[in-house]
Structure formats: C-alpha cells, structure tokens
C-alpha cells in the first residue's frame, strides 16, 4: 500500500479523550444563540439536523442558510489538552511506508491543532477537510471521489482508517482496504458487520503495532 488515509477525531487520538463532547456542546450553544432557544430544544434540533443531513453543519446550511466558516470556527474553539502527546504514534507513523493523509468532516485548523498536540503533524502530506469537500460530509461518495482525484490516489493501493464504520463504505466501493477502530457507540457501529469493513482494531496504535513495519521504539 502506498497511501494511508486517516480520519481525525476518535481515530488519530483515542475516543476516551472525548473532544467531540466539547465540540457537540459548542454546537448546541451556537444553535441556542442563533435561534434563541433553550438548551433542550437546541440539542434536539442539533440531533435532528445531524440525523437527516449527515452533519449538523450541513443541515444548518441547507435549511437555515448558516455561514459555514463562522460555525466551524466557533465549534472547534475547544481545549485539546485531553489529547496526550503520543511518541509511540509518532514512531509508528514514521515507520509506516507511503503517503499519509487526513480526511475529516472537521476543519483544517482543528486537524492541525490535534496533530500538533499529538506530535505527528510532520507525517501528513495534507488534510482534506469539510471545506475541501464542498461542505458535503462523509459518507456521501462525492468527497471520496474528490479526494482521490485531488491527491492522485490509486484506490487499490490505499487504506482508509475510521472510527465510524459507515464512513468506510464509499472507500471500499472505490477499491480501498478499510480498517474500523472499534467503538461502543451505536452511531459509530452502524455498518460494522458489513462487508465493507475489512479489518477491525481496538485503536490506531494497536493496529499499527500489528503491521510488519512496526518494529520501532518511541523517541
């Protein structure tokens, strides 16, 4: 394989860091302020938009004309210190041959802050974010096609790693190998038993440690 495509949140770092809890809380506050709602109705609207549109942002843009840049800046203004620096992940990525890319429904600035905190930024050629995807979220097939074209990826020589099983379906349809990082959350397990999931791992470090190239020590 010559291209490795990584999701960001709950993939590059362990889900136990709960960064998305912070993001979700800020989404709720954004909706409260925008529509003058109490927390409960704002959370209900947030969930409904997510369910019907794939991301809350897509729903806000489609149904309410929300400007995406302001939303992304607001919801990603979070504390990333729950993510611990990971010398082991740094060493494993250094030993992994081929290009490494991030493909996220988040934003480039958010991805950069997380990667800097982990200490792994140097390994990634680029971040393909929700802006590059035209604000169309995974698992819509469109952004996958755009990523393949823009990065010159040969799908049959690529691997995609994700914590949300359903997001691996378009990658597998293109010919990529897929890795699902196991989760207890229902929204992450959706599709985990389907044929588009080729490998399952407990977390990213565990998966990379099992590869033949992993015989390295952390710096």
């Amino acid at each position: 394989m010559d291209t490795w495509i990584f999701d960001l949140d709950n993939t590059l770092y362990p889900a136990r860091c709960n960064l998305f809890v912070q993001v979700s809380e800020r989404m709720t506050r954004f909706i409260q302020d925008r529509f003058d709602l109490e927390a409960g109705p704002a959370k209900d609207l947030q969930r409904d938009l997510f369910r019907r549109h794939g991301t809350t942002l897509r729903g806000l843009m489609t149904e309410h004309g929300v400007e995406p840049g302001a939303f992304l800046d607001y919801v990603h203004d979070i504390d990333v210190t729950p993510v611990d620096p990971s010398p082991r992940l740094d060493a494993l990525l250094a030993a992994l041959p081929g290009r490494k890319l991030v493909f996220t429904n988040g934003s480039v600035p958010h991805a950069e802050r997380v990667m800097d905190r982990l200490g792994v930024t140097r390994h990634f050629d680029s971040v393909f974010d929700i802006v590059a995807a035209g604000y169309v979220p995974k698992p819509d097939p469109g952004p996958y096609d755009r990523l393949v074209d823009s990065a010159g990826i040969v799908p049959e020589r690529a691997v995609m790693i994700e914590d949300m099983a359903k997001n691996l379906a378009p990658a597998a349809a293109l010919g990529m190998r897929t890795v699902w990082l196991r989760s207890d959350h229902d929204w992450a397990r959706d599709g985990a038993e389907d044929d588009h999931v080729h490998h399952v791992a407990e977390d990213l470090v565990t998966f990379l440690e099992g590869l033949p190239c992993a015989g390295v020590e952390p710096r």
Side-chain angles (χ1 to χ4, degrees), residues 11 82 127 151 159:
T11 297
V127 176
V159 179

Side-chain angles (χ1 to χ4, degrees), residues 185-200:
H185 296 294
D186 289 342
W187 47 265
R189 291 187 57 83
D190 184 19
E193 307 300 324
D194 295 341
D195 291 343
H196 65 258
V197 175
H198 302 140
H199 305 280
V200 179

Side-chain angles (χ1 to χ4, degrees), residues 2-219:
D2 57 25
T3 304
W4 299 82
I5 303 166
F6 299 83
D7 178 45
L8 178 78
D9 291 306
N10 298 337
T11 297
L12 282 189
Y13 62 86
R16 65 177 178 272
C17 297
N18 284 329
L19 285 195
F20 199 75
V21 172
Q22 294 186 59
V23 173
S24 180
E25 289 173 350
R26 291 190 66 79
M27 287 184 188
T28 304
R29 273 181 270 167
F30 183 95
I31 292 170
Q32 284 183 261
D33 293 343
R34 174 78 182 214
F35 300 106
D36 193 24
L37 295 173
E38 296 296 328
K43 177 64 75 173
D44 290 343
L45 177 57
Q46 176 185 339
R47 289 170 175 159
D48 177 61
L49 293 173
F50 175 82
R51 178 181 56 80
R52 291 188 293 108
H53 293 275
T55 62
T56 301
L57 171 58
R58 186 69 178 175
L60 287 170
M61 291 174 62
T62 301
E63 297 189 15
H64 302 284
V66 167
E67 197 281 310
F71 176 87
L72 290 170
D73 289 346
Y74 184 86
V75 303
H76 289 138
D77 185 14
I78 61 170
D79 175 18
V80 297
T81 59
V83 175
D84 291 327
S86 181
R88 183 59 178 166
L89 179 59
D90 177 56
L92 289 164
L93 290 171
L96 186 67
R99 290 187 299 164
K100 295 118 186 144
L101 313 173
V102 168
F103 179 18
T104 176
N105 279 345
S107 67
V108 166
H110 173 59
E112 290 175 340
R113 291 182 67 213
V114 170
M115 292 189 296
D116 287 347
R117 177 67 181 168
L118 283 165
V120 300
T121 304
R122 67 191 180 97
H123 301 296
F124 292 93
D125 287 7
S126 63
V127 176
F128 189 90
D129 73 342
I130 193 66
V131 180
Y135 301 103
V136 178
K138 296 182 281 185
D140 187 290
Y144 297 72
D145 294 335
R146 185 178 292 190
L147 171 63
V148 166
D149 290 343
S150 65
I153 295 169
V154 178
E156 293 78 11
R157 295 191 55 79
V159 179
M160 184 168 174
I161 305 171
E162 259 273 359
D163 72 302
M164 293 186 65
K166 67 181 181 180
N167 288 351
L168 294 170
L174 287 169
M176 297 182 195
R177 301 303 293 173
T178 65
V179 181
W180 178 57
L181 302 184
R182 195 187 308 275
S183 174
D184 293 330
H185 296 294
D186 289 342
W187 47 265
R189 291 187 57 83
D190 184 19
E193 307 300 324
D194 295 341
D195 291 343
H196 65 258
V197 175
H198 302 140
H199 305 280
V200 179
E202 295 303 316
D203 56 58
L204 181 58
V205 167
T206 300
F207 171 72
L208 295 177
E209 285 178 336
L211 298 178
C213 58
V216 295
E217 294 297 326
R219 296 178 178 179

